[in-house]
Amino acid sequence: MELFMIVLPAFLIFLTGYLGQKWIGFEIRSISMAALYLMSPFLAFRTFYANKLTVEYVYITVFCLVLSLVLIVVVLITGFFMKAGRQKMAAMVLGGVFMNSGNYGAPVVLFAFGAVGFEYAVIIMVFQSFLMNTIGLFAASLGGEEETTLKQSLQRVVRMPVLYGAFLGVLLQLLHVSIPPSFMDAISLVADASIPTVMIVLGMQLAVIATKRVEYKYVNAVSVIRMIVSPLLAAAIVSFIPANDLLKDVMILLAAMPAAANTTMFAIQFGTEPDLVSFTTLITTLLSILTIPIVLFFLGG
């Protein structure tokens, strides 16, 4: 019941977007662009600026990179045997590779492992956000409605302001630049707005899903990869990383999280099967109510 109470706020935010879209009807793409281009850079800047660099960043970087790359290979092989087209393949990458480590994963870690575990979760969230805003954006762009060349996809990634927000945060931290509290408060206001906005956008998209256009075989395949294959791969990867047991447990638990809400925003932005991506996010989020307690049981949480 306590675990359900941590998951419940996320569902309430999804419901807000869902009901708002049903009752009023918004232009989802515009709200999505505002979150992606205006709010997310502030969140990236604050996260990279405020979280001090430590030696454990190396372990987290290796873990995030290896897990993402192996999951991409698993998704591509699965999509190949399913004869998935360019857009379906990109949508499978978005849903299968990137987990909701921030607005869902971090609170669960806090409940399971306390404040120290939560600090690890925030650092992992930073790297996952970076990968999502590079590899994820690249996949969304490459699988968009308009066929895009490799060069065009890379150009779209380079133009994303969230990357510059992250780099600026790291630079100012390394240079020990002190930001006046009033400016930091303003940055935090915009940053804090990004996560609920992204989740509201997901709820809106769920409200307009035409389920008859969603091919459930792809949803099923991605759900298995995200909720079962991912944590198993994470457990194998951390066995080779000389990190402490708590960090390993946090890594495995976050790898078991459902598909990231941000992937729906990317899919909407580039027209990369947004119905399939958002429906996959919904299904994996619902499944996580059952799968996360199982993972915690095996971790001894």
Side-chain angles (χ1 to χ4, degrees), residues 10-61:
F11 283 94
L12 291 178
I13 299 175
F14 293 151
L15 181 62
T16 300
Y18 182 91
L19 294 177
Q21 188 63 30
K22 284 290 187 183
W23 291 343
I24 301 174
F26 295 92
E27 210 292 295
I28 302 176
R29 189 181 182 92
S30 295
I31 301 174
S32 171
M33 289 181 66
L36 187 61
Y37 287 92
L38 298 181
M39 302 177 191
S40 295
F42 285 87
L43 178 62
F45 171 82
R46 185 184 66 178
T47 304
F48 279 83
Y49 176 77
N51 288 278
K52 300 300 181 182
L53 299 174
T54 66
V55 66
E56 289 167 329
Y57 271 58
V58 177
Y59 301 142
I60 291 172
T61 302

Side-chain angles (χ1 to χ4, degrees), residues 32-45 47-48 65 68 72 93-94 97-99 101-102 124-141 153-167 194-195 198 260-267 269-270:
S32 171
M33 289 181 66
L36 187 61
Y37 287 92
L38 298 181
M39 302 177 191
S40 295
F42 285 87
L43 178 62
F45 171 82
T47 304
F48 279 83
L65 283 174
S68 296
I72 288 172
V93 169
L94 289 176
V97 175
F98 305 104
M99 74 284 290
S101 57
I124 293 172
M125 180 191 71
V126 170
F127 283 97
Q128 283 295 328
S129 176
F130 178 79
L131 293 175
M132 197 184 313
N133 285 285
T134 51
I135 299 174
L137 274 174
F138 176 74
S141 175
S153 296
L154 288 172
Q155 288 174 339
R156 286 180 175 178
V157 170
V158 171
R159 288 199 300 266
M160 294 307 299
V162 68
L163 298 181
Y164 298 100
F167 290 142
S194 63
I195 291 177
V198 167
N262 301 58
T263 58
T264 295
M265 188 168 59
F266 295 160
Q269 179 66 30
F270 297 107

Side-chain angles (χ1 to χ4, degrees), residues 220-268:
N220 295 336
V222 174
S223 297
V224 170
I225 293 172
R226 175 92 300 279
M227 307 309 295
I228 299 176
V229 177
S230 179
L232 291 176
L233 285 173
I237 293 169
V238 300
S239 66
F240 295 98
I241 297 178
N244 62 71
D245 290 338
L246 177 58
L247 178 54
K248 290 182 178 181
D249 287 346
V250 172
M251 289 173 173
I252 295 171
L253 182 57
L254 289 181
M257 291 296 147
N262 301 58
T263 58
T264 295
M265 188 168 59
F266 295 160
I268 295 170

Side-chain angles (χ1 to χ4, degrees), residues 104-125:
Y104 189 162
V108 173
V109 169
L110 178 62
F111 166 75
F113 301 118
V116 178
F118 180 74
E119 291 177 1
Y120 287 142
V122 171
I123 297 171
I124 293 172
M125 180 191 71

